[in-house]
Amino acid sequence: VFSFQFVQVLHEAGIESFNSFIFHEKLFQNVAPIMNALSHAESTCFGVFLSHTLVQLSLWRKRNVFEEFCEKNVVFKVPAGKDSKCATHVEFLNISYNWHIRLTKAALRYLSGRDYATIRNTLEVLVHIVDEFPRTMSHGAHLLKCVHKLAIRDSRADVRTLSTRYMHMLKSSRKSWIREDEFRCLRI
């Protein structure tokens, strides 16, 4: 929680040497190697951090919140060649959709693998972010299918238990999923 709050303070204070957009871009660009390198305890902490981050990004998806906290904020500039410009709300919606795609691909990749620690740690992260991720029907369907296979086929009891737990959590959150086109261009 401290790490998330630190990033939030840097963003809200408008520290010019900290670019909030680039921070989030790098976080989701590197989410796969980060999840692969975590210990069990670290995966829990990373899951909590990612959960808070996704809640913040969900708030920014609302136009009025985005305009207040991001649109004219010097720390939320999108690199454009030699110059930088503040991201528009529509650009942010599309970019945040891409971040969700990266997170989905990383999770599917590691859940489909054979490495015990990676599968377990990925499930641990996913359990912590289930309230905010996945947000779209297709991402959720892919994750459900993959986790269902783990729940019935994996030979390790703890992985089956954790994947069954996550599968039920996913099914419970399914009612809040939306279509991709709605997620990309949502105007609240």
Side-chain angles (χ1 to χ4, degrees), residues 20-83:
S20 187
F21 174 81
I22 290 177
F23 169 79
H24 289 94
E25 178 69 19
K26 293 294 182 186
L27 172 66
F28 289 102
Q29 195 174 55
N30 296 308
V31 74
I34 291 170
M35 287 194 327
N36 191 38
L38 298 173
S39 69
H40 176 65
E42 290 168 337
S43 64
T44 300
C45 294
F46 185 66
V48 171
F49 168 75
L50 207 52
S51 174
H52 283 81
T53 300
L54 290 167
V55 166
Q56 182 67 55
L57 293 175
S58 291
L59 288 173
W60 289 348
R61 292 183 60 77
K62 298 176 183 173
R63 180 176 288 284
N64 61 333
V65 176
F66 182 84
E67 288 171 353
E68 183 180 347
F69 292 102
C70 301
E71 196 165 58
K72 294 187 175 59
N73 193 330
V74 25
V75 301
F76 204 79
K77 290 190 175 183
V78 179
K82 293 181 182 177
D83 298 322

Side-chain angles (χ1 to χ4, degrees), residues 1 4 11-12 17 21 31 33 39 41-42 47 57 60 66 72-73 117 119 129 133 165 179 182 185:
V1 175
F4 165 76
H11 176 87
E12 290 173 2
S17 59
F21 174 81
V31 74
S39 69
E42 290 168 337
L57 293 175
W60 289 348
F66 182 84
K72 294 187 175 59
N73 193 330
I119 292 170
I129 64 175
F133 176 83
R165 174 183 176 210
R179 294 188 333 260
E182 292 177 51
C185 299

Side-chain angles (χ1 to χ4, degrees), residues 122-184:
T122 301
L123 285 167
E124 195 67 44
V125 169
L126 290 172
V127 162
H128 283 87
I129 64 175
V130 73
D131 291 334
E132 292 300 320
F133 176 83
R135 294 296 307 257
T136 64
M137 292 174 184
S138 70
H139 296 169
H142 289 301
L143 285 167
L144 261 175
K145 183 179 176 183
C146 187
V147 172
H148 179 73
K149 286 180 186 176
L150 271 176
I152 60 173
R153 293 186 184 157
D154 201 275
S155 61
R156 298 158 293 213
D158 61 333
V159 171
R160 281 195 317 273
T161 302
L162 192 53
S163 58
T164 300
R165 174 183 176 210
Y166 179 61
M167 183 175 60
H168 289 293
M169 292 172 83
L170 269 179
K171 287 179 180 179
S172 294
S173 70
R174 188 183 337 202
K175 61 186 170 286
S176 66
W177 298 346
I178 58 176
R179 294 188 333 260
E180 279 70 19
D181 59 331
E182 292 177 51
F183 187 77
R184 288 184 83 139

